[in-house]
Amino acid sequence: MLDLKMIRTEPDKVKAAIQKREMNLDSVIDEILKIDVDRRAVTGKVEAKKAEQNAASKQIPAMKKAGQDTTELMAQMKVLSAEIKEYDAELGELEEKQKDLMLSLPNLPDEDVVAGGKEQNVPLHYFKEKPVFDFPMKNHVDLCEAHGMIDYQRGAKIGGNGAWIYRGWGARMEWALLNFFVNEHLGDGYELILPPHMLNYECGYVAGQFPKFVEEDYWIANPTSADRKFMLPTAETALVNLHRDEVLTLDELPRKYIAYTPCFRREAGSYRAEERGMIRGHQFNKVEMVQYTTPEGSDAAFAEMVGKAERLVQELGLHYRLSKLAAGDCSFSMARTYDIEVWIPSMGIYKEVSSASNARDYQARRGNMKYRGEDGKLHFVNTLNASGLATSRVMPAIVEQYQNADGSITVPEVLRPYMGIDVIR
């Protein structure tokens, strides 16, 4: 959620920043400001009436003690009480309407984030050269099926389109990747969290997914109660709620967490050629990083998380590029995002395996997450997240980039201690 004071004092700046996302919400901002004027006016009236009420309340005991008639004053009190009730109701309606409008506003992109959609994304650098093969290259679907690593047919049979089964060396490689990622993060001082996979509405609200994107998740209703939960789309949704409605000390920051979870996405399951196999699915595994920092430590934390995610892909020996996303391609809650995109040779395209983002204080305002600074005052924390990494595109990249002429697949050196083999034949 944006700072209302900023909208009030710099409305043109806010409008221009949102327009960088290819969104025009000028009318929404104007309506917020109009409601804000009305709300403050009504608040002033309520406070004035309550001051009258308090003054009258203090007079009544003294008048009774002096034997004076309080009938007229009591009648005035009744009128004041009715007026205050009406003003409170009006104020409640204005505040609710203003809140709904505020929730429709996305985070403001950082000043150095360029305007436009994904066509304006900028590759910052590349790692290694694109692999070149002197033999007929195979795609990851055929390679995984040939080695019994992935069972797509039985996955679709029991889970529908967009589902698959890891088996044999595929299951071993998936588990190796997850263990490798977790161990690397633990070595860097992150705390491992295993959160619930079913979350309450507040989690999606704080993360910035609700109410705007409430229909994009899988929801589970309890048939014996009104309880309703959603399946987490990413561990970030859980991790950025750990300190909801809490005040942290300065010594506690930064807080660094990782979590392994499956992720559930409703929008998956297209039949486009570039999304075949494991490239896009309804469920996939991911290790997620989240940090809580001070505003001053936010940029350094972002650089650290991007570097950590890059290091994982580098240690796997995969060709990739790091891209800085344009404002229109950053997600609703994020002020800046860098994507790590691995090369999928058979498709001739790059696919994201990590998205590192800085939400600044946007999520913290929604979740009332603060820290007490050296000045003794309360300030909102900054929250950041980065995939570290998602496996469903890492494995296709490994299988394709490490394929050999005889159809075998060389296992990346960092995974060999976990898998116990050098080559999948």
Side-chain angles (χ1 to χ4, degrees):
M1 186 179 295
L2 299 182
D3 182 2
L4 179 56
K5 183 179 179 181
M6 176 178 62
I7 296 175
R8 187 185 300 139
T9 58
E10 300 180 287
D12 291 338
K13 180 180 177 180
V14 173
K15 290 176 180 179
I18 291 176
Q19 286 171 4
K20 289 172 66 175
R21 288 180 171 271
E22 299 187 316
M23 300 171 68
N24 189 332
L25 298 178
D26 291 5
S27 61
V28 175
I29 294 169
D30 290 340
E31 182 66 14
I32 289 172
L33 293 173
K34 179 180 180 301
I35 292 173
D36 190 50
V37 171
D38 295 341
R39 180 186 61 81
R40 294 166 77 184
V42 174
T43 299
K45 293 177 182 178
V46 170
E47 290 175 351
K49 294 295 181 182
K50 287 183 177 179
E52 288 183 48
Q53 189 181 51
N54 290 336
S57 296
K58 292 177 181 178
Q59 288 181 5
I60 291 173
M63 291 177 67
K64 286 183 176 180
K65 187 175 182 180
Q68 296 176 332
D69 185 5
T70 61
T71 303
E72 184 177 347
L73 191 56
M74 292 292 288
Q76 292 176 7
M77 287 281 287
K78 188 174 182 180
V79 171
L80 280 172
S81 180
E83 289 177 338
I84 289 171
K85 186 175 181 180
E86 289 180 6
Y87 282 137
D88 279 339
E90 184 181 356
L91 185 61
E93 290 178 4
L94 288 170
E95 289 175 341
E96 188 64 27
K97 187 175 181 181
Q98 187 177 59
K99 181 181 178 182
D100 288 344
L101 291 171
M102 289 286 290
L103 292 176
S104 71
L105 298 179
N107 201 349
L108 303 185
D110 286 346
E111 289 187 4
D112 67 317
V113 174
V114 300
K118 62 175 62 179
E119 68 281 354
Q120 299 301 322
N121 293 351
V122 179
L124 299 177
H125 61 248
Y126 294 78
F127 177 73
K128 297 184 67 173
E129 298 294 327
K130 290 180 182 177
V132 177
F133 304 96
D134 56 3
F135 55 87
M137 178 182 60
K138 295 181 180 179
N139 64 60
H140 65 278
V141 175
D142 293 340
L143 285 164
C144 286
E145 287 182 330
H147 292 286
M149 298 172 67
I150 306 292
D151 193 330
Y152 295 104
Q153 291 184 341
R154 291 186 176 91
K157 180 169 68 175
I158 64 177
N161 290 324
W164 58 82
I165 295 172
Y166 295 100
R167 59 189 307 170
W169 287 117
R172 295 279 293 274
M173 181 174 285
E174 179 77 359
W175 206 240
L177 285 167
L178 294 170
N179 276 273
F180 167 58
F181 298 156
V182 168
N183 287 339
E184 290 290 299
H185 297 313
L186 292 177
D188 290 334
Y190 281 66
E191 180 183 350
L192 177 62
I193 302 290
L194 294 178
H197 296 168
M198 295 187 297
L199 305 177
N200 54 35
Y201 181 91
E202 288 77 9
C203 290
Y205 170 83
V206 171
Q209 295 155 10
F210 304 158
K212 187 174 179 63
F213 306 105
V214 72
E215 298 302 324
E216 293 186 4
D217 290 308
Y218 285 109
W219 286 88
I220 299 175
N222 188 333
T224 61
S225 74
D227 189 28
R228 190 166 177 255
K229 292 185 171 66
F230 68 99
M231 304 298 293
L232 88 174
T234 167
E236 172 211 340
T237 311
L239 294 179
V240 297
N241 278 271
L242 289 181
H243 298 292
R244 187 173 70 210
D245 295 320
E246 294 182 15
V247 176
L248 300 172
T249 66
L250 194 56
D251 292 341
E252 291 180 286
L253 299 175
R255 300 301 297 264
K256 302 180 179 183
Y257 299 111
I258 60 163
Y260 155 67
T261 65
C263 303
F264 304 90
R265 302 284 177 88
R266 275 187 62 183
E267 79 275 15
S270 96
Y271 293 93
R272 292 183 295 176
E274 70 269 21
E275 294 180 350
R276 65 181 180 267
M278 293 178 287
I279 297 300
R280 183 176 292 273
H282 295 289
Q283 176 184 329
F284 59 93
N285 294 318
K286 181 155 67 85
V287 176
E288 184 78 2
M289 298 180 276
V290 162
Q291 284 200 37
Y292 293 74
T293 74
T294 62
E296 296 76 16
S298 191
D299 289 334
F302 181 77
E304 174 196 320
M305 296 171 79
V306 171
K308 278 173 55 60
E310 281 197 86
R311 191 182 75 213
L312 295 176
V313 188
Q314 291 171 3
E315 291 182 344
L316 288 169
L318 296 173
H319 167 64
Y320 73 89
R321 72 182 181 190
L322 179 69
S323 294
K324 180 178 180 180
L325 302 195
D329 204 24
C330 291
S331 65
F332 191 79
S333 302
M334 300 305 157
R336 71 187 301 111
T337 298
Y338 286 5
D339 277 0
I340 297 174
E341 303 163 321
V342 294
W343 177 250
I344 308 294
S346 68
M347 299 179 181
I349 55 177
Y350 291 92
K351 282 291 185 179
E352 173 221 324
V353 294
S354 177
S355 190
S357 300
N358 192 336
R360 303 296 178 184
D361 63 5
Y362 187 87
Q363 293 173 326
R365 288 181 180 277
R366 284 173 170 248
N368 192 32
M369 299 176 288
K370 300 177 181 178
Y371 72 97
R372 193 173 297 280
E374 291 181 346
D375 57 4
K377 298 179 181 179
L378 295 180
H379 306 272
F380 287 107
V381 299
N382 277 199
T383 56
L384 305 92
N385 69 86
S387 313
L389 303 164
T391 61
S392 60
R393 292 174 179 175
V394 171
M395 189 182 292
I398 290 174
V399 169
E400 291 197 11
Q401 291 194 32
Y402 278 92
Q403 64 179 295
N404 301 309
D406 62 357
S408 64
I409 304 165
T410 300
V411 176
E413 189 172 347
V414 292
L415 299 184
R416 294 173 190 175
Y418 300 97
M419 296 183 64
I421 59 167
D422 295 349
V423 181
I424 297 174
R425 301 184 186 280

